[in-house]
Amino acid sequence: MNRIAAIAWLLCLCGGFAAIGHADEGMWTFDNLPLKEMQSQYQFTPSADWLAHVQHAALRSKDGCSAAFVSADGLVITNQHCIGECLASISTPKRDYTLDGFYAYTRDQELRCPQMEMEQLTDTHDVTAEVSKSLKGLSGDDYVDAFRSISSRLEQGCADGDTRRWSCEVVDLYHGGRYVLYKYRRYQDLRLVFTPEYAVAAFGGDPDNFNFPRYSLDVALLRAYDRDQPVKPEYLTLSTQAPREGELVFAAGNPGTSARGRTLAELTGLRDDDLTPALVYYSELRGLLEEYAHEGPDQRRMAYANLGEVDNLIKAHQGQLEALQDQAQLERKAADEKALHDWVMADPARRAEYGDPWSAIAAAEQRQHMLITRYRMLEQGWGFESRLFDYARLLVRGVEERDKANGRRLPEYRDANLPQVEQALFAETPVSADYEELMLGWSLSKLRETLGADDPLVRKLLGRDSPAQVARTAVDGTRLDSASYRKRMWSDVDFMEVSNDPLIVMAAKVDKDARAVRKQYEQEVLSVVRTQSEIIARARFARDGTGLYPDATFTLRLSYGQVQGWSEDDRKVPAFTDFGGLYGRATGSAPFALPPRWLAAEAQLPPATHLDFATTNDIVGGSSGSPVIDRDGKLVGLVFDGNIHSLGGDFWYDGGENRAVAVDDQALLMALRKVYGMTALADELVNGHL
Amino acid sequence: MNRIAAIAWLLCLCGGFAAIGHADEGMWTFDNLPLKEMQSQYQFTPSADWLAHVQHAALRSKDGCSAAFVSADGLVITNQHCIGECLASISTPKRDYTLDGFYAYTRDQELRCPQMEMEQLTDTHDVTAEVSKSLKGLSGDDYVDAFRSISSRLEQGCADGDTRRWSCEVVDLYHGGRYVLYKYRRYQDLRLVFTPEYAVAAFGGDPDNFNFPRYSLDVALLRAYDRDQPVKPEYLTLSTQAPREGELVFAAGNPGTSARGRTLAELTGLRDDDLTPALVYYSELRGLLEEYAHEGPDQRRMAYANLGEVDNLIKAHQGQLEALQDQAQLERKAADEKALHDWVMADPARRAEYGDPWSAIAAAEQRQHMLITRYRMLEQGWGFESRLFDYARLLVRGVEERDKANGRRLPEYRDANLPQVEQALFAETPVSADYEELMLGWSLSKLRETLGADDPLVRKLLGRDSPAQVARTAVDGTRLDSASYRKRMWSDVDFMEVSNDPLIVMAAKVDKDARAVRKQYEQEVLSVVRTQSEIIARARFARDGTGLYPDATFTLRLSYGQVQGWSEDDRKVPAFTDFGGLYGRATGSAPFALPPRWLAAEAQLPPATHLDFATTNDIVGGSSGSPVIDRDGKLVGLVFDGNIHSLGGDFWYDGGENRAVAVDDQALLMALRKVYGMTALADELVNGHL
């Protein structure tokens, strides 16, 4: 359902791990921290209690962000940009919460975010032995099936029948170096408490995104409920002190994916076959939405609810692409790869054990080049950018998949994941027919463009009509905008199977081809890269030993670093921005325009109070919403971005330039009191309870 | 004024030349044809008369296309897609000639294309000695200035004071291997006679562009006038026979640029710093225009007048980018480069003579990486996509440049080029304020995005306003939409200098920075690449001797080849399409919808009559509109495209797959008679006169 998640998945399946090359480098699992380095550099070693407390307060959002509990009454802090889907779905033609912000002065004013879910990591359990045994000697389809089957069995046992409460996931760390079963407590009733105006949350907009100095209050507060009562979690208390330059800080969050262990062939494939086409695709979509926003207030609302994500994707891809065009870094990578390759080849026993995984991966990348366009169009949603179509596909596949044994299903339809499918399907999310038509029509035209007008599937889908006509007919004729209708289809398979709903028909037409290319892609590319990466990982372990951190896997990690600016050419970029700078940068025009409330409050806000700050913490996408914690385990800020150099962080960490960017929590408190008059909420944050 | 031309220029200044690797390879100058190869492969050697006749009938359009005279009464044939600017400027809210086509049944119905110009090559003269002498020992600024000055002097002498009638140009062939003075007869009064509906000229639209089989009648006929009388030129007569498979055919046209002599560093730079950013930029513009087209009939007209060009740019860039991602080809290139490098280094005398031009070019490419964004935004028009702004810049620079000695001016303001500037400035071209606002606002937002909101020039231009506001104020307040106002400004410098026209003010604000980055780019990138490429060219000459063709320079070339399909994986692509195929492919929806006239005429058009055909001729962009000529010197077709593999032709020619795509002239005659009832025009084409 979520394009970012879909892309993250595309980027993430390869990987590996990396040796520490720089101070502050690393996205560490809680059980394997570089305690000696931390102690020697910062004279601090976190205690077991410190770690347990942080772990239990930290949260992961299903939308690809991080978050944390910040009060005994279930208050959750994350970024405004992490709740875009929620804001769009609770907004109405009359109330645009994305633009205007949201303010619950009392608990009964809190509004539920329909599809939001948070997960709290309660337990991890090493299952390397079981998984490795199941996979031994397998490859291709058998390997994928066996992994699915053992994961599914382990996950089901872990959730113990209560998949509404628990969610479990076998995570592959160090590429087959370790398999770990992660157990999460699920929170599916999250209600919005506060988020500022878009103009403040995203002050500076796309121009300032991935930049610093930065002046955004990119914060949202939600409250987690269980059976209509606020939950009572472990939580982080707010520090009363603003962080100082050079201070040691931690970020506890869920970095999504990184590729520090990838081979050169993978990085080249990523650059040419993933990043570049995605940039082109999203740039066209951006232009489309920018202009669509001018066509009326509803169009404006829909466009802006989605443009932020698109802008962000573009900039992230751009930054990564630029990193992968850096010949010097690529050569360093090549030298590192060659050294390991030579080490393997230098010894007949090693050669026999490891073979030549680099060539095998390069061949898989060639296959990827052939398959990826079709895979992306049919299976990754690029040809069908429509929420209604997503419903149709979930329904059509749901019928087929639920008929199979659990372990043989596509992962997203395994029993453990069905609650999430149902939540997506049954949520009462309003749908804009006009926007659906625009997006489906446009993406069908991309489908035709990339696969060609003569492609049999394209002919089957479009017949003699234009993409826009096909989209109009389908969106006009469907009843999938009704949650109850979808519910009936999901529960009454016969009802669905006789349906001639045009989107169900469309999804059914695509399904065989989409499944076929997915299977091919998984077998010929992903599983090859996966098994061969394991071999490289084993070789590296054998040569270098442990003391490494695994590539990011959208699971909980701790990074450490310090509050610090950096130097750019001859320019020194400071570590902090403040309210004075915000007002200095404000113009009357978006994205640098401040809302009236903020203009009125200028005299109340001390100019020297810090607003945002930069740190050397090693973060990547997915870390948005990570609490920034001081050595006392107190919250001092909230990660919401990285600078432009941090985008190369997917491939390597450069301590000289790579910076995380966070909101200072003192700025949040000040704004709640002086701008929004939300004193009770500010008190709850300071006191830790209502 | 013309974005394609601007980009062509960007791509073209490097280059070199290439050895023949394949039969049919080469874009040959008329004085250095591979006569032996032609004779041995096709048993044909063109006579001096044959060559002179073809040269005199061939034309070059200032818009970046090729064309030819096809009647004694000045009839000119080119592609419909080459006259987009004309169609947009003569269309009105009531008559959309792009969509509906244009049909002059009598001479008094012909309509003048305001800015169109055609040039006929009358003479070439080797000036290598003079130019080399002037450049000897110079580099950097001095080199550029000296080249400008000697070119300007030679060109002025050649035009002999009559720059309205003659246009002269010093062309650098083989990168300093030869300098040749080209003399053209100018035709500035071109009147539109016929072009079909857009739906027929661009049947299959963007999906079919750069593809084959293809079913387009991409043709336009114009008539050249001099003092209100049709000119009486040498011309090509139409063959009465349709071309057969395997038949020898020539294409006489002006391939724009190619880069077959470029170094690996240049190709990598082209890929990462030129093609990729351009793809991203134009993709966003494409999305914007696609949606803008929905906002009303005027918007639709303006969007479609420009979308074709944007789509085409995107596909061309895409094809080139894919070629430059081809690791095998790049390795072949690297090996070829290394061999020449090693040959130089193997001998101390050679090492002393040639040095290491490859490293020097690689360093210049690094500089390009730093400079190109600013250069493109400020100087190449990316930050100011507006016809009105283009006028303002021409006026502002015109004042400054005309004050200087001719040889010290920017090339576009030298005396020889002033008539073209004036033609552009004084043409009565209608301007859509709404469209200008859209484009200027959007491109200013790109300017801010790429240079950053804190860039001093960006601050100076935007102040506290948004890009859209700045564009609105400027377009609302300017009077540059009036040709007479522009004329007054051009001729009365005092009047202009006191002007507070907002676009003049904007252009003046930008000019210093734009000139500065242009100068830096020319000195640190272009002139280094140029002089170092010369050295490589000399080394290659020394090792391999002559018998080579120069890279394309948008000057007249002859290519030879045969009518032929190709094999794609297991699929055989035939050499021809026919009317039957056209009707079979037609649906009711754009871009596969046929206009009513064509639907009505179906029974009149024999299904087996050829419509388009593919040939092995070696062509690149700029060859559009090239006449396809048989061994008798008769016209058998008109090049309008290449297949997707032809896009790699900028870097290498692959005879197995690279194909030119042409309209069969028999299809044109048939359509004129049976669909449009333009019997007199068809007769003129067949008889060669009115």
Side-chain angles (χ1 to χ4, degrees):
Chain A
M1 302 298 284
N2 184 302
R3 302 290 168 220
I4 295 193
I7 285 164
W9 184 68
L10 182 69
L11 298 179
C12 86
L13 280 176
C14 328
F17 58 108
I20 323 177
H22 299 266
D24 303 349
E25 176 171 348
M27 299 167 281
W28 301 91
T29 53
F30 277 57
D31 60 356
N32 182 35
L33 292 165
L35 297 177
K36 225 163 61 186
E37 285 80 4
M38 284 161 64
Q39 181 62 39
S40 97
Q41 203 185 341
Y42 294 104
Q43 298 76 52
F44 177 77
T45 301
S47 68
D49 283 352
W50 190 102
L51 290 169
H53 177 65
V54 168
Q55 175 184 323
H56 290 136
L59 290 167
R60 176 173 91 157
S61 136
K62 279 290 194 185
D63 291 334
C65 278
S66 300
F69 281 122
V70 282
S71 95
D73 293 296
L75 208 55
V76 170
I77 194 165
T78 187
N79 298 135
Q80 192 268 3
H81 82 256
C82 291
I83 63 161
E85 188 118 345
C86 166
L87 290 172
S89 65
I90 64 174
S91 289
T92 63
K94 286 189 183 156
R95 298 302 313 253
D96 185 339
Y97 296 121
T98 305
L99 276 182
D100 299 336
F102 182 89
Y103 317 95
Y105 287 85
T106 58
R107 274 188 46 204
D108 58 4
Q109 291 174 349
E110 295 170 5
L111 261 191
R112 180 161 179 184
C113 286
Q115 299 199 30
M116 183 163 281
E117 175 169 344
M118 292 277 177
E119 295 173 317
Q120 175 193 33
L121 181 62
T122 57
D123 205 11
T124 62
H125 179 63
D126 192 305
V127 293
T128 311
E130 292 98 309
V131 175
S132 299
K133 203 176 126 201
S134 302
L135 299 179
K136 203 171 170 69
L138 301 180
S139 66
D141 233 5
D142 296 335
Y143 181 98
V144 172
D145 284 345
F147 183 73
R148 267 186 203 158
S149 155
I150 179 71
S151 302
S152 168
R153 198 166 57 70
L154 289 166
E155 287 162 12
Q156 264 183 318
C158 154
D160 203 19
D162 191 359
T163 54
R164 298 209 171 261
R165 190 175 179 80
W166 303 106
S167 134
C168 296
E169 190 183 7
V170 173
V171 178
D172 173 0
L173 295 176
Y174 304 100
H175 258 284
R178 274 181 74 199
Y179 292 97
V180 180
L181 185 60
Y182 279 62
K183 181 173 186 176
Y184 296 93
R185 170 79 166 85
R186 309 176 71 177
Y187 298 96
Q188 289 178 289
D189 181 356
L190 287 139
R191 304 188 192 171
L192 187 55
V193 179
F194 162 77
T195 199
E197 301 90 339
Y198 182 80
V200 174
F203 184 82
D206 182 59
D208 276 5
N209 191 19
F210 292 118
N211 282 321
F212 199 82
R214 186 69 173 280
Y215 306 86
S216 301
L217 193 77
D218 189 353
V219 175
L221 292 163
L222 304 124
R223 196 181 301 282
Y225 281 79
D226 191 16
R227 290 177 203 140
D228 259 342
Q229 292 302 313
V231 302
K232 303 287 180 189
E234 279 197 61
Y235 66 95
L236 299 173
T237 51
L238 265 67
S239 165
T240 52
Q241 303 232 313
R244 297 174 322 283
E245 185 146 11
E247 177 173 348
L248 168 66
V249 285
F250 299 87
N254 299 272
T257 61
S258 61
R260 297 190 187 170
R262 282 197 181 189
T263 68
L264 199 63
E266 287 178 85
L267 293 183
T268 315
L270 177 66
R271 183 187 67 196
D272 295 343
D273 295 325
D274 287 356
L275 294 175
T276 307
L279 254 178
V280 170
Y281 180 85
Y282 287 109
S283 293
E284 184 173 332
L285 180 56
R286 175 195 233 179
L288 196 81
L289 292 179
E290 280 168 342
E291 196 51 28
Y292 183 70
H294 292 141
E295 292 172 25
D298 286 355
Q299 284 85 348
R300 186 178 159 80
R301 191 170 44 82
M302 290 307 297
Y304 279 95
N306 293 281
L307 258 174
E309 181 180 323
V310 171
D311 284 344
N312 189 56
L313 269 173
I314 288 173
K315 213 155 190 178
H317 279 64
Q318 193 90 58
Q320 292 190 345
L321 184 65
E322 275 164 28
L324 291 181
Q325 291 170 340
D326 183 336
Q327 217 54 43
Q329 290 280 18
L330 289 175
E331 278 162 22
R332 209 165 306 156
K333 188 90 202 169
D336 175 69
E337 187 167 311
K338 184 170 182 306
L340 187 59
H341 178 265
D342 289 353
W343 180 80
V344 168
M345 296 305 158
D347 176 77
R350 289 202 289 266
R351 211 155 53 213
E353 184 178 353
Y354 302 116
D356 184 359
W358 295 276
S359 298
I361 288 178
E365 292 295 318
Q366 286 291 331
R367 287 304 296 157
Q368 161 161 296
H369 178 76
M370 305 301 292
L371 294 171
I372 195 166
T373 302
R374 196 171 180 84
Y375 174 65
R376 219 155 29 194
M377 281 289 151
L378 300 188
E379 185 63 17
Q380 297 283 92
W382 282 27
F384 308 92
E385 292 278 3
S386 149
R387 183 186 290 273
L388 292 172
F389 180 87
D390 289 340
Y391 291 145
R393 169 169 283 179
L394 284 177
L395 289 166
V396 167
R397 289 204 169 159
V399 170
E400 197 170 332
E401 292 298 312
R402 283 179 296 166
D403 250 4
K404 300 178 186 167
N406 192 41
R408 308 290 301 182
R409 296 182 197 162
L410 295 173
E412 59 271 33
Y413 295 92
R414 282 189 232 153
D415 286 337
N417 294 322
L418 284 181
Q420 208 189 324
V421 173
E422 293 182 358
Q423 199 196 20
L425 267 179
F426 303 163
E428 299 272 4
T429 314
V431 169
S432 157
D434 192 62
Y435 183 74
E436 289 287 309
E437 260 184 56
L438 171 82
M439 293 295 285
L440 184 58
W442 176 76
S443 52
L444 285 172
S445 79
K446 294 296 106 182
L447 182 78
R448 183 177 68 186
E449 179 183 327
T450 48
L451 304 189
D454 295 326
D455 181 88
L457 178 65
V458 172
R459 292 199 160 208
K460 191 161 79 173
L461 282 171
L462 298 184
R464 298 173 70 88
D465 293 328
S466 72
Q469 284 169 324
V470 171
R472 193 172 320 122
T473 309
V475 173
D476 283 357
T478 190
R479 291 184 56 197
L480 294 180
D481 54 329
S482 150
S484 58
Y485 192 80
R486 298 193 296 268
K487 203 161 191 167
R488 179 158 174 212
M489 281 205 163
W490 180 255
S491 44
D492 182 352
V493 169
D494 295 336
F495 175 68
M496 203 203 76
E497 286 192 330
V498 300
S499 162
N500 57 1
D501 187 285
L503 279 172
I504 295 286
V505 172
M506 187 187 289
K509 273 185 191 165
V510 182
D511 211 45
K512 206 179 122 208
D513 289 57
R515 284 173 180 270
V517 73
R518 172 170 172 170
K519 190 166 178 182
Q520 229 185 336
Y521 191 75
E522 288 180 349
Q523 279 178 15
E524 299 174 22
V525 182
L526 299 182
S527 99
V528 175
V529 171
R530 185 175 193 145
T531 46
Q532 298 297 318
S533 298
E534 273 184 32
I535 295 170
I536 297 176
R538 275 197 286 118
R540 196 179 290 272
F541 257 134
R543 194 189 61 175
D544 301 337
T546 52
L548 310 163
Y549 62 93
D551 252 325
T553 48
F554 196 43
T555 53
L556 190 64
R557 304 293 176 88
L558 195 69
S559 79
Y560 68 101
Q562 54 184 307
V563 178
Q564 203 177 66
W566 75 98
S567 292
E568 183 105 33
D569 303 326
D570 305 331
R571 195 164 50 94
K572 173 110 188 75
V573 182
F576 299 101
T577 64
D578 56 30
F579 282 129
L582 170 69
Y583 285 101
R585 193 171 180 74
T587 68
S589 311
F592 300 101
L594 283 172
R597 250 190 289 233
W598 279 78
L599 294 174
E602 181 170 2
Q604 313 298 314
L605 298 171
T609 300
H610 290 168
L611 175 49
D612 295 338
F613 61 92
T615 81
T616 62
N617 291 73
D618 187 1
I619 56 141
V620 296
S623 299
S624 277
S626 298
V628 182
I629 301 162
D630 66 13
R631 61 178 79 205
D632 298 331
K634 296 215 165 142
L635 185 85
V636 295
L638 187 72
V639 172
F640 70 97
D641 202 2
N643 67 356
I644 195 80
H645 308 293
S646 75
L647 288 165
D650 278 28
F651 318 114
W652 37 72
Y653 175 82
D654 175 355
E657 295 196 323
N658 186 331
R659 292 293 177 274
V661 176
V663 178
D664 191 310
D665 62 2
Q666 301 305 312
L668 170 64
L669 287 177
M670 188 83 73
L672 287 175
R673 291 189 203 281
K674 307 287 186 186
V675 182
Y676 300 104
M678 299 185 83
T679 318
L681 185 58
D683 289 345
E684 181 178 353
L685 282 170
V686 170
N687 302 330
H689 54 77
L690 275 171
Chain B
M1 302 297 285
N2 183 302
R3 302 291 168 220
I4 295 192
I7 285 164
W9 186 69
L10 182 70
L11 299 178
C12 86
L13 280 179
C14 327
F17 59 106
I20 323 175
H22 298 264
D24 301 351
E25 175 171 350
M27 298 167 283
W28 301 90
T29 51
F30 277 57
D31 60 357
N32 181 35
L33 293 165
L35 297 176
K36 226 163 62 186
E37 285 81 2
M38 286 162 63
Q39 181 63 37
S40 98
Q41 203 185 341
Y42 294 105
Q43 296 76 54
F44 177 76
T45 300
S47 67
D49 283 351
W50 190 102
L51 291 169
H53 177 65
V54 168
Q55 175 186 323
H56 290 136
L59 291 167
R60 177 173 91 156
S61 135
K62 279 289 194 186
D63 291 334
C65 279
S66 300
F69 281 121
V70 283
S71 95
D73 294 295
L75 209 54
V76 171
I77 194 165
T78 188
N79 298 135
Q80 191 268 1
H81 82 257
C82 292
I83 63 159
E85 187 120 346
C86 167
L87 291 172
S89 66
I90 63 174
S91 290
T92 63
K94 286 189 180 153
R95 297 304 310 255
D96 185 340
Y97 295 121
T98 306
L99 277 182
D100 301 335
F102 181 88
Y103 317 95
Y105 287 86
T106 57
R107 274 187 46 202
D108 58 3
Q109 292 173 350
E110 295 170 6
L111 262 190
R112 182 164 178 182
C113 287
Q115 299 200 31
M116 183 162 280
E117 175 169 345
M118 294 276 176
E119 295 171 318
Q120 176 192 32
L121 180 63
T122 56
D123 205 12
T124 62
H125 179 63
D126 193 304
V127 291
T128 310
E130 291 98 310
V131 174
S132 300
K133 202 177 124 200
S134 302
L135 300 178
K136 202 167 172 72
L138 301 180
S139 66
D141 232 6
D142 296 335
Y143 182 97
V144 172
D145 284 344
F147 184 73
R148 269 186 203 158
S149 154
I150 179 72
S151 302
S152 168
R153 199 165 56 72
L154 290 166
E155 287 162 13
Q156 265 184 317
C158 156
D160 201 19
D162 191 358
T163 55
R164 301 213 167 257
R165 188 176 180 83
W166 304 106
S167 133
C168 296
E169 191 183 6
V170 172
V171 178
D172 172 1
L173 296 175
Y174 304 101
H175 257 287
R178 273 182 76 198
Y179 292 98
V180 180
L181 184 61
Y182 279 61
K183 180 172 187 176
Y184 297 93
R185 168 78 167 87
R186 307 177 73 177
Y187 299 95
Q188 289 179 290
D189 181 357
L190 287 139
R191 304 187 191 172
L192 187 55
V193 179
F194 161 78
T195 198
E197 302 88 341
Y198 182 80
V200 174
F203 184 82
D206 182 60
D208 276 6
N209 190 17
F210 291 117
N211 281 322
F212 199 81
R214 187 71 173 280
Y215 305 87
S216 301
L217 193 76
D218 189 352
V219 175
L221 292 163
L222 304 122
R223 196 182 301 281
Y225 282 78
D226 190 20
R227 293 180 201 138
D228 259 343
Q229 292 303 313
V231 302
K232 302 288 179 187
E234 276 197 65
Y235 66 94
L236 300 172
T237 52
L238 265 68
S239 165
T240 52
Q241 302 232 315
R244 297 172 323 280
E245 185 146 9
E247 179 174 346
L248 167 65
V249 284
F250 300 86
N254 300 273
T257 62
S258 62
R260 297 189 187 168
R262 282 197 181 188
T263 68
L264 200 62
E266 288 179 83
L267 293 182
T268 316
L270 178 66
R271 184 187 67 198
D272 296 342
D273 296 324
D274 287 355
L275 295 175
T276 308
L279 255 178
V280 169
Y281 180 85
Y282 286 109
S283 293
E284 184 173 332
L285 180 56
R286 175 196 231 176
L288 195 82
L289 291 179
E290 280 167 342
E291 196 51 27
Y292 183 71
H294 291 141
E295 292 171 26
D298 286 354
Q299 284 84 349
R300 185 179 162 79
R301 190 170 46 82
M302 289 308 297
Y304 279 96
N306 292 282
L307 258 173
E309 182 181 322
V310 171
D311 284 345
N312 190 56
L313 268 173
I314 288 174
K315 213 155 191 178
H317 280 63
Q318 193 91 55
Q320 292 190 343
L321 184 64
E322 275 165 28
L324 291 181
Q325 291 170 342
D326 184 334
Q327 217 54 42
Q329 289 280 19
L330 289 175
E331 278 161 23
R332 209 165 307 159
K333 188 90 199 170
D336 175 69
E337 187 166 309
K338 185 170 182 305
L340 187 59
H341 178 267
D342 290 352
W343 180 81
V344 168
M345 297 304 156
D347 176 77
R350 288 201 289 264
R351 210 157 53 213
E353 183 177 355
Y354 302 116
D356 184 358
W358 296 276
S359 298
I361 288 179
E365 292 295 318
Q366 288 290 333
R367 287 303 296 156
Q368 161 161 297
H369 178 76
M370 305 301 292
L371 293 170
I372 195 167
T373 302
R374 196 170 181 86
Y375 175 65
R376 219 156 27 196
M377 281 289 152
L378 300 189
E379 185 62 18
Q380 296 283 91
W382 282 27
F384 308 91
E385 292 279 2
S386 149
R387 183 188 290 272
L388 292 172
F389 180 87
D390 289 339
Y391 290 143
R393 168 168 286 178
L394 284 178
L395 290 166
V396 167
R397 288 203 170 160
V399 171
E400 196 169 334
E401 292 298 312
R402 283 179 296 166
D403 250 4
K404 300 178 186 167
N406 192 42
R408 307 290 303 182
R409 296 181 197 163
L410 294 172
E412 59 270 33
Y413 295 93
R414 282 188 234 153
D415 286 336
N417 294 323
L418 285 179
Q420 209 188 322
V421 173
E422 293 183 357
Q423 198 194 20
L425 268 178
F426 304 163
E428 299 271 5
T429 314
V431 169
S432 156
D434 192 63
Y435 183 75
E436 289 287 308
E437 260 184 55
L438 171 82
M439 292 295 286
L440 184 58
W442 175 75
S443 52
L444 285 172
S445 78
K446 295 296 103 182
L447 181 78
R448 183 176 68 187
E449 178 183 327
T450 47
L451 304 190
D454 296 326
D455 181 90
L457 177 66
V458 172
R459 291 198 162 209
K460 190 163 78 172
L461 282 172
L462 299 183
R464 298 172 71 90
D465 294 327
S466 72
Q469 284 169 323
V470 171
R472 194 171 319 119
T473 309
V475 173
D476 283 357
T478 189
R479 289 184 57 196
L480 295 179
D481 55 330
S482 150
S484 58
Y485 192 79
R486 299 193 295 270
K487 204 163 190 166
R488 181 161 171 209
M489 282 206 162
W490 181 255
S491 43
D492 181 352
V493 169
D494 295 336
F495 175 67
M496 202 203 79
E497 286 191 331
V498 300
S499 163
N500 56 2
D501 187 287
L503 280 172
I504 295 285
V505 172
M506 186 186 289
K509 274 186 191 165
V510 182
D511 212 44
K512 205 179 124 211
D513 289 58
R515 282 173 181 269
V517 72
R518 172 171 171 171
K519 190 167 178 184
Q520 227 184 337
Y521 191 75
E522 288 180 349
Q523 279 178 13
E524 298 174 23
V525 182
L526 298 182
S527 99
V528 175
V529 170
R530 185 175 192 147
T531 47
Q532 299 298 317
S533 298
E534 272 183 33
I535 295 171
I536 296 176
R538 275 197 287 120
R540 196 179 290 271
F541 258 134
R543 193 189 60 176
D544 301 338
T546 52
L548 308 163
Y549 61 93
D551 253 325
T553 47
F554 197 45
T555 53
L556 189 65
R557 305 292 177 90
L558 195 68
S559 79
Y560 67 102
Q562 54 184 304
V563 178
Q564 201 178 67
W566 75 99
S567 291
E568 184 106 33
D569 303 327
D570 305 330
R571 195 165 51 95
K572 172 110 189 74
V573 182
F576 299 101
T577 64
D578 56 30
F579 282 128
L582 170 70
Y583 285 100
R585 194 172 180 75
T587 68
S589 311
F592 300 101
L594 283 172
R597 250 191 289 234
W598 279 79
L599 294 172
E602 182 169 2
Q604 312 299 313
L605 298 171
T609 300
H610 289 168
L611 175 48
D612 295 338
F613 61 93
T615 81
T616 62
N617 291 73
D618 187 358
I619 55 140
V620 296
S623 300
S624 279
S626 299
V628 182
I629 302 162
D630 66 12
R631 61 178 78 204
D632 299 331
K634 297 215 164 142
L635 185 85
V636 295
L638 188 72
V639 171
F640 70 98
D641 202 3
N643 67 357
I644 195 81
H645 308 294
S646 75
L647 288 165
D650 277 27
F651 318 115
W652 36 73
Y653 174 83
D654 175 355
E657 294 196 324
N658 186 331
R659 292 292 177 276
V661 176
V663 178
D664 191 308
D665 62 2
Q666 301 305 310
L668 170 64
L669 287 178
M670 187 84 73
L672 287 175
R673 291 188 202 281
K674 307 288 187 184
V675 182
Y676 301 104
M678 297 182 86
T679 317
L681 185 58
D683 289 346
E684 182 179 351
L685 282 169
V686 171
N687 302 331
H689 54 79
L690 275 169

